[in-house]
Amino acid sequence: MKSYIELDVWIEARKLVSQVYVITNDFPKEEVYGITNQIRRCSVSVPSNIAEGCGRQTPKDIIRFLYISRGSLYELETQLYLSNDLEFISEENLNNILSQIETCKKLLNGFINYYKKL
């Protein structure tokens, strides 16, 4: 079994975090403790829960953390749509980051399905 740091799903989730931090740097300063913080926290949750799940012993435990990670992706997606509604991010930036979220969703779903078969 590979280390979690070698997994495509974890690597792509880290790329997502980097994109989130770049995009949220331009958010209004009064949002630093609001939506900016929330978006950053849930993006960091994605690779963190993948890593934590990989540290568990049973497939059932691993899957639980992968589902938490997936939930964070959906939360992040919603917050980014809201940020676009509030005109904190452009349509182009939204589409770029949504593409990365979609990549992460597909990889995460594949990883979940792999562990469901064990």
Side-chain angles (χ1 to χ4, degrees):
M1 183 72 177
K2 287 183 177 181
S3 168
Y4 73 91
I5 63 173
E6 299 175 276
L7 297 171
D8 289 341
V9 65
W10 185 79
I11 292 166
E12 291 300 321
R14 284 181 53 215
K15 290 178 187 176
L16 176 62
V17 173
S18 294
Q19 282 184 286
V20 163
Y21 270 75
V22 168
I23 286 175
T24 56
N25 272 337
D26 294 331
F27 277 30
K29 295 304 171 210
E30 62 269 13
E31 285 299 326
V32 74
Y33 298 109
I35 199 165
T36 304
N37 183 49
Q38 188 64 26
I39 287 172
R40 287 178 172 184
R41 287 174 49 142
C42 74
S43 73
V44 168
S45 175
V46 177
S48 298
N49 278 293
I50 292 167
E52 188 166 356
C54 289
R56 300 298 168 148
Q57 292 186 356
T58 67
K60 183 179 178 181
D61 287 338
I62 295 167
I63 290 169
R64 185 167 64 90
F65 282 93
L66 296 178
Y67 278 134
I68 292 169
S69 183
R70 190 171 72 177
S72 293
L73 278 174
Y74 282 92
E75 179 183 0
L76 174 61
E77 186 175 52
T78 297
Q79 292 167 358
L80 290 167
Y81 276 113
L82 294 172
S83 296
N84 179 253
D85 293 345
L86 296 167
E87 298 180 354
F88 295 163
I89 59 174
S90 68
E91 197 76 28
E92 180 183 354
N93 283 339
L94 176 65
N95 290 332
N96 288 337
I97 203 160
L98 290 177
S99 175
Q100 184 65 22
I101 289 172
E102 191 62 30
T103 296
C104 290
K105 282 181 186 177
K106 288 176 182 177
L107 289 168
L108 198 50
N109 284 333
F111 203 42
I112 290 167
N113 289 334
Y114 168 79
Y115 274 102
K116 280 183 171 180
K117 293 177 184 175
L118 294 180

